[in-house]
């Protein structure tokens, strides 16, 4: 037991005892002991040598370092590294601190561009001159009404002639850096972002991010409700269209974005095309819509129905490079210039609604001279002067506290010149026409409001066939029976709201046309909504003679004699005014007055173009045919009237009303009438000379009834 226990205990506690114990081992153990000893010595030796060498190298290294460290350049380098490290650590700590701070001590709010709140806050911030220093703008004319009361309008240089086009407004576009605002003692940072569509993954809507440097969420609440109140008090009710800004704004250039559908877009596009700015553009779109924006195909024989426009034409971004690019006057001068050129054209722009509450096509038509309108007495001058007085009387309206808008109701049988009158007046006043087809499918109170809110303040709003706006019980019944939608869902109250609301623009002229004034609700045509009512009657003797003279002008310098080489006259046109007047009198004597519209007479004269004698000789036959036609139609439509007797929406026509003589257009088919009238009337009647119809007799001033604005 001892032998066993002893070495163990020694082995653990005493090395020399182990040695002693190993002496009792056999001889192989002795050999291994010797090797072990040698190895031990070798290690000791090596260790002492390396310690010596290490100490030597350490000393050498330290002295080397001391030498390097005393070099001033290296010293500076070390200092720089230390400083950089401190700064970087500081930055990281700062960032983390800021994140922490923001997490706990600030309130953040994000506003999406397609939300109402975005419009409130943007309008309010505009009014706080937040983006006063901005150098990147969206230029808006049609939508400018939305921002006018609160937006920052740049002064338009006084360019003399054109006054009736809407003034553009300049809205600051999103910038890269956030803006700082102090509001009621609190700091806010505001960052605006454009929508991005180019990269599907990172696509986002335009946003406005507000960071409020306070923990108090009540302040954000206050801010948003203040913005909301401001918006409703100063702007239009319906928020503007969503912007489609695809380009990154630049901080160094003056940028202006013009949106398709906005009037300013037409100014600038037409100008850019006229100066061949798109000459080198290889990316083209072909369109039949913009008949005079763009350039026609160059191939010979092609008609004018298609145009080339620069592709991706939904926006035009103009970048102004200037030594003084920060001077925004450069931009407003440019816009004033393009606007002046545009309105100096001999055209009237007619904007057509696209359904779904969006303005779509714009058609430019030649101006129609007022003199080509055959109206009794001074009807046209009365309308024109009234409209001029109205446009010039803005201050009077404002002093009197009356909304600055005026409504004209043109009523009477189809084809008597209602739409043509609107077209001619628009040309005289240099106003654009916005046609709203109230009876069309897709129209409802909302789309109506949307359309009206996107018209400029100074324009002509044309509500065609206003009596067809509201679907009658018969329409509803028909729609129910056929499981289809009624044509239009516009309600009377919706229309009245739109006509009265703040969004129906200051300085706007509304023309409404109808074939059935007796179908209209008195509320719709009361003064204040329809201030002037003008009846358009079937043709009088003077008008019948007038339209004849327009068709058969005598041969004169503009209309040279057609005589062939043998000296034979090849044209049947008269040689003198007197001769034409004689034919016209004979013609009028054979046509019953107050029976046919000018459009009907015009239709007959087209069949005798160039031959006045034949026109006179054939007219009796035409009248007889018309009468027979009328009689057969009235026997059919008489039963229709009978069946409608009970229907409040379609009472029978008043006595003396010439309805049976007309083939009436269907409700909802009339939205292109103005365009049609402009084209065929402009082409044919447009040949009349100034003052040609001034001597039209049968003056009937009772046709124009004016009511005071209340
Ligand atoms: N008083 C007029 N003077 C000159 N042209 C006229 C007159 N009335 C009608 N016309 C001609 O008749 C055509 C139809 O006219 P317009 O469309 O203006 O009639 P309207 O009264 O608006 O008809 P509707 O009620 O069907 O809309 C046009 O080509 C126009 O030139």
């Amino acid at each position: 037991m001892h032998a066993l226990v002893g070495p163990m205990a020694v082995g653990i506690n005493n090395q020399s005892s182990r040695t002693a114990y190993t002496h009792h081992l056999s001889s192989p153990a002795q050999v291994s002991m010797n090797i072990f000893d040698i190895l031990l010595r070798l290690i000791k030796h090596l260790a002492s040598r390396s310690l010596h060498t290490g100490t030597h190298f350490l000393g050498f290294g330290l002295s080397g370092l001391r030498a390097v460290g005393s070099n001033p350049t290296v010293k500076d380098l070390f200092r720089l590294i230390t400083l950089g490290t401190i700064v970087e650590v500081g930055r990281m700590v700062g960032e983390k601190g800021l994140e922490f701070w923001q997490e706990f001590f600030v309130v953040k709010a994000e506003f999406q561009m397609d939300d109402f709140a975005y419009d409130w806050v943007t309008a309010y911030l505009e009014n706080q001159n937040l983006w006063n220093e901005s150098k990147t703008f969206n230029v808006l004319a049609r939508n400018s009404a939305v921002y006018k009361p609160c937006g920052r309008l740049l002064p338009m240089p006084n360019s003399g002639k054109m006054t009736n086009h809407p003034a553009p407004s300049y809205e600051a576009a999103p910038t890269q850096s956030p803006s700082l605002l102090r509001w009621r003692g609190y700091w806010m940072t505001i960052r605006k972002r454009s929508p991005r569509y180019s990269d599907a993954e990172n696509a986002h809507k335009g946003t406005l991010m507000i960071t409020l440097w306070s923990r108090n969420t009540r302040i954000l609440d206050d801010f948003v409700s203040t913005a909301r109140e401001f918006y409703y008090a100063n702007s239009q009710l319906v928020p503007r269209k969503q912007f489609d800004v695809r380009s990154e704004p630049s901080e160094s250039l003056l940028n202006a974005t013009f949106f398709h559908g906005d009037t300013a877009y037409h100014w600038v596009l037409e100008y850019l095309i006229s100066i061949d700015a798109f000459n080198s553009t290889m990316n083209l779109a072909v369109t039949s819509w913009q008949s005079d924006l763009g350039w026609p195909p160059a191939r010979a024989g092609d008609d004018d129905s298609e145009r080339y426009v620069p592709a991706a034409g939904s926006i035009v971004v103009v970048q102004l490079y200037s030594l003084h690019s920060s001077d925004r006057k450069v931009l407003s001068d440019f816009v004033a210039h393009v606007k002046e050129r545009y309105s100096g054209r001999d055209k009237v722009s007619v904007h057509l609604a696209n359904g779904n509450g969006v303005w779509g096509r714009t058609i430019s038509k030649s101006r129609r001279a007022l003199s080509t309108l055959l109206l009794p007495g001074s009807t046209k001058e009365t309308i024109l002067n009234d409209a001029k007085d109205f446009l010039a009387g803005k201050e009077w309206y404002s002093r009197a506290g009356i909304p600055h808008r005026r409504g004209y109701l043109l009523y009477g049988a189809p084809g008597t010149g209602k739409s043509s009158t609107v077209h001619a007046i628009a040309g005289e006043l240099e106003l654009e026409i916005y046609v709203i087809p109230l009876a069309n499918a897709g129209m409802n109170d909302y789309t109506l409001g949307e359309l009206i809110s996107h018209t400029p303040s100074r324009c002509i709003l044309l509500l065609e066939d206003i009596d067809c706006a509201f679907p009658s019980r018969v329409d509803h019944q028909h729609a129910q029976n056929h499981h289809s939608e009624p044509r239009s869902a516009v309600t009377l109250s919706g229309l009245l709201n739109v006509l009265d609301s703040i969004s129906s623009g200051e300085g706007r002229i509304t023309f409404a046309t109808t074939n059935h004034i007796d179908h209209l609700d008195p509320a719709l045509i009361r003064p204040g909504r329809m201030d002037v009512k003008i009846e358009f009657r079937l043709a009088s003797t003077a008008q019948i003679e007038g339209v004849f003279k327009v068709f058969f002008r005598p041969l004169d310098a503009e209309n040279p004699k057609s005589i062939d080489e043998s000296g034979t006259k090849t044209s049947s046109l008269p040689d003198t005014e007197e001769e034409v007047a004689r034919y016209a009198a004979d013609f009028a004597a054979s046509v019953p007055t107050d029976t046919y519209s000018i459009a009907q007479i015009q239709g007959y004269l087209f069949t005798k173009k160039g031959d006045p004698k034949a026109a006179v000789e054939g007219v009796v036959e035409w009248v007889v045919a018309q009468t027979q036609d009328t009689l057969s139609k009235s026997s059919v439509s008489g039963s229709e009237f009978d069946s409608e007797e009970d229907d409040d929406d379609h009472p029978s026509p008043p006595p003396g009303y010439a309805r049976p003589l007309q083939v009436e257009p269907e409700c909802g088919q009339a939205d292109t009438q103005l365009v049609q009238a402009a084209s065929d009337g402009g082409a044919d009647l447009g040949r009349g000379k100034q003052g040609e119809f001034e001597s039209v007799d049968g003056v009937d001033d009772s046709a124009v009834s004016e009511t005071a604005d209340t």
Side-chain angles (χ1 to χ4, degrees):
M1 275 298 282
H2 176 81
L4 281 176
V5 172
M8 275 185 77
V10 171
I12 293 169
N13 296 313
N14 188 308
Q15 183 65 43
S16 58
S17 306
R18 186 197 295 185
T19 312
Y21 168 76
T22 53
H23 275 282
H24 299 288
L25 294 177
S26 56
S27 46
Q30 274 178 352
V31 174
S32 67
M33 187 220 60
N34 289 339
I35 293 171
F36 181 75
D37 195 34
I38 292 163
L39 276 175
L40 204 66
R41 279 186 199 157
L42 189 67
I43 290 166
K44 271 186 190 165
H45 175 74
L46 285 176
S48 73
R49 284 295 302 255
S50 36
L51 188 67
H52 176 76
T53 321
T55 316
H56 180 75
F57 274 114
L58 188 66
F60 180 75
L62 283 174
S63 60
L65 271 178
R66 229 175 277 128
V68 171
S70 62
N71 182 328
T73 318
V74 177
K75 260 188 191 166
D76 286 349
L77 189 68
F78 274 121
R79 272 197 208 116
L80 212 63
I81 291 169
T82 317
L83 199 68
T85 313
I86 292 170
V87 168
E88 181 56 19
V89 171
R91 192 188 64 79
M92 278 163 58
V93 172
E95 247 176 33
K96 289 286 166 205
L98 195 67
E99 267 176 33
F100 177 78
W101 173 273
Q102 289 194 350
E103 192 81 11
F104 289 98
F105 297 106
V106 300
V107 176
K108 280 185 178 175
E110 191 174 85
F111 300 82
Q112 301 279 356
M113 194 179 231
D114 55 0
D115 191 88
F116 281 90
Y118 180 92
D119 286 333
W120 306 337
V121 174
T122 317
Y124 183 64
L125 291 173
E126 288 270 354
N127 188 253
Q128 305 288 313
N129 293 339
L130 182 68
W131 291 294
N132 237 7
E133 297 310 315
S134 181
K135 283 184 274 168
T136 310
F137 297 94
N138 298 326
V139 184
L140 305 162
R142 176 184 294 170
N143 290 341
S144 67
V146 176
Y147 280 90
K148 227 175 222 173
C150 49
R152 293 168 301 105
L153 288 179
L154 294 184
M156 287 293 287
N158 195 356
S159 45
K161 189 169 171 287
M162 44 97 218
T163 50
N164 286 333
H165 272 250
S169 71
Y170 299 74
E171 187 210 40
T175 55
Q176 308 288 355
S177 47
S179 319
L180 204 60
L181 174 75
R182 190 151 171 82
W183 189 77
R184 297 192 184 162
Y186 294 90
W187 285 105
M188 287 180 178
T189 37
I190 289 133
R191 188 187 284 272
K192 216 177 181 193
R193 283 204 310 168
S194 305
R196 192 195 297 274
Y197 302 99
S198 47
D199 170 6
E201 266 185 27
N202 298 317
H204 65 77
K205 290 178 186 161
T207 52
L208 193 74
M209 171 69 88
I210 292 191
T211 309
L212 173 67
W213 294 86
S214 159
R215 289 203 66 182
N216 191 349
T217 45
R218 276 296 303 271
I219 301 174
L220 181 68
D221 253 8
D222 286 352
F223 178 77
V224 175
S225 26
T226 310
R228 181 175 178 273
E229 272 161 32
F230 173 84
Y231 185 86
Y232 278 96
N234 296 283
S235 302
Q236 297 204 4
L237 286 172
V238 185
R240 67 189 175 148
K241 267 190 287 194
Q242 184 175 322
F243 289 132
D244 184 17
V245 185
R246 285 154 203 258
S247 61
E248 281 299 320
S250 148
E251 290 291 312
S252 55
L253 293 169
L254 202 56
N255 278 347
T257 309
F258 300 85
F259 296 90
H260 177 72
D262 191 275
T263 314
Y265 175 89
H266 295 280
W267 305 339
V268 77
L269 187 61
E270 174 136 327
Y271 172 71
L272 293 175
I273 287 170
S274 77
I275 60 165
D276 297 331
F278 297 111
N279 258 1
S280 53
T281 304
M282 302 303 282
N283 193 10
L284 296 169
V286 185
T287 175
S288 58
W289 274 28
Q290 297 290 337
S291 58
D292 61 349
L293 280 186
W295 54 98
R299 294 188 310 273
D302 279 339
D303 62 16
D304 236 12
S305 60
E306 349 165 320
R307 297 268 153 182
Y308 291 99
V309 289
S314 60
I315 57 170
V316 171
V317 178
V318 174
Q319 297 195 318
L320 294 167
Y321 297 82
S322 151
L323 278 180
H324 309 286
S325 66
S326 61
D327 182 357
R328 280 176 282 156
K329 198 171 170 303
V330 181
L331 177 60
S332 62
D333 282 351
F334 172 77
V335 174
H337 179 67
V338 297
K339 178 180 168 184
E340 185 163 0
R341 281 185 60 131
Y342 186 84
S343 48
R345 309 172 315 155
D346 204 18
K347 303 267 185 188
V348 172
S349 297
V350 182
H351 302 267
L352 302 172
N354 205 2
N356 305 325
V358 179
W359 288 108
R361 298 174 63 185
T362 299
I363 296 170
S364 292
K365 288 287 167 194
S366 305
R367 283 187 188 169
R368 178 169 184 158
L370 208 58
S371 58
T372 66
L373 280 181
L374 301 161
L375 294 178
S378 55
T379 306
K380 52 194 176 190
E381 289 76 14
T382 307
I383 306 175
L384 182 64
N385 292 336
D386 185 89
K388 277 186 180 166
D389 283 352
F390 161 74
L391 289 172
K394 187 176 176 192
E395 279 176 17
W396 182 91
Y397 276 81
S398 136
R399 271 202 308 275
I402 298 172
H404 187 221
R405 50 178 180 253
R406 197 142 175 89
Y408 299 82
L409 179 71
L410 313 187
Y411 67 97
T416 48
K418 298 181 290 295
S419 305
S420 309
T421 302
V422 177
H423 185 88
I425 296 282
E428 289 291 327
L429 297 175
E430 295 180 5
L431 291 176
E432 309 213 337
I433 305 174
Y434 288 78
V435 187
I436 299 196
L438 284 175
N440 274 15
M443 287 299 300
N444 55 40
D445 295 349
Y446 175 76
T447 49
L448 182 62
E450 276 288 288
L451 285 169
I452 296 212
S453 73
H454 292 120
T455 51
S457 45
R458 282 171 89 90
C459 73
I460 286 182
L461 186 68
L462 176 59
L463 307 174
E464 286 213 305
D465 293 321
I466 199 165
D467 54 295
C468 299
F470 322 110
S472 65
R473 286 211 309 267
V474 175
D475 286 334
H476 271 307
Q477 196 57 51
H478 182 271
Q480 269 174 10
N481 293 345
H482 293 80
H483 304 291
S484 60
E485 294 261 316
R487 277 188 300 261
S488 154
V490 175
T491 64
L492 175 64
S493 62
L495 180 57
L496 297 184
N497 272 344
V498 158
L499 289 176
D500 293 346
S501 73
I502 188 171
S503 62
S504 53
E506 294 288 291
R508 176 173 301 145
I509 294 178
T510 302
F511 275 96
T513 66
T514 179
N515 299 143
H516 303 285
I517 190 171
D518 49 314
H519 286 188
L520 298 180
D521 193 291
L524 186 59
I525 55 177
R526 72 148 168 80
R529 292 191 181 119
M530 294 299 147
D531 305 285
V532 184
K533 300 174 188 73
I534 302 128
E535 183 178 6
F536 283 67
R537 296 187 179 164
L538 296 169
S540 64
T541 305
Q543 285 174 306
I544 299 168
E545 283 185 24
V547 69
F548 187 94
K549 288 177 186 168
V550 169
F551 263 76
F552 304 107
R553 284 174 42 214
L555 296 165
D556 56 17
E558 283 175 55
N559 198 7
K561 275 188 180 171
S562 307
I563 296 175
D564 65 15
E565 281 162 8
S566 65
T568 318
K569 195 174 156 188
T570 56
S571 166
S572 314
L573 286 173
D575 291 313
T576 61
E577 299 269 0
E578 291 71 38
E579 206 181 334
V580 178
R582 268 198 307 278
Y583 276 127
D586 290 348
F587 178 77
S590 308
V591 180
T593 54
D594 297 328
T595 310
Y596 300 107
S597 68
I598 293 198
Q600 282 176 301
I601 299 169
Q602 209 173 269
Y604 165 72
L605 292 176
F606 265 118
T607 65
K608 307 288 177 191
K609 219 171 165 198
D611 194 345
K613 194 159 173 268
V616 174
E617 285 168 0
V619 72
V620 174
E621 197 185 329
W622 177 76
V623 169
V624 170
Q626 290 294 306
T627 313
Q628 280 168 357
D629 192 33
T630 302
L631 286 174
S632 62
K633 271 190 189 127
S634 63
S635 65
V636 176
S637 61
S639 55
E640 278 171 18
F641 278 127
D642 293 344
S643 69
E644 286 176 2
E645 280 293 283
D646 300 334
D647 184 357
D648 292 343
D649 294 320
H650 292 285
S652 46
Y657 187 67
R659 180 173 170 167
L661 291 170
Q662 307 297 323
V663 179
E664 298 193 15
E666 278 278 311
C667 275
Q669 288 182 349
D671 57 316
T672 52
Q673 281 170 357
L674 179 104
V675 177
Q676 187 57 40
S679 53
D680 54 46
D684 298 306
L685 296 185
R687 289 178 301 170
K689 291 185 210 142
Q690 281 282 348
E692 196 168 350
F693 307 112
E694 302 306 311
S695 60
V696 172
D697 56 7
V699 176
D700 187 355
D701 286 334
S702 68
V704 181
S705 63
E706 182 177 354
T707 43
D709 199 337
T710 52

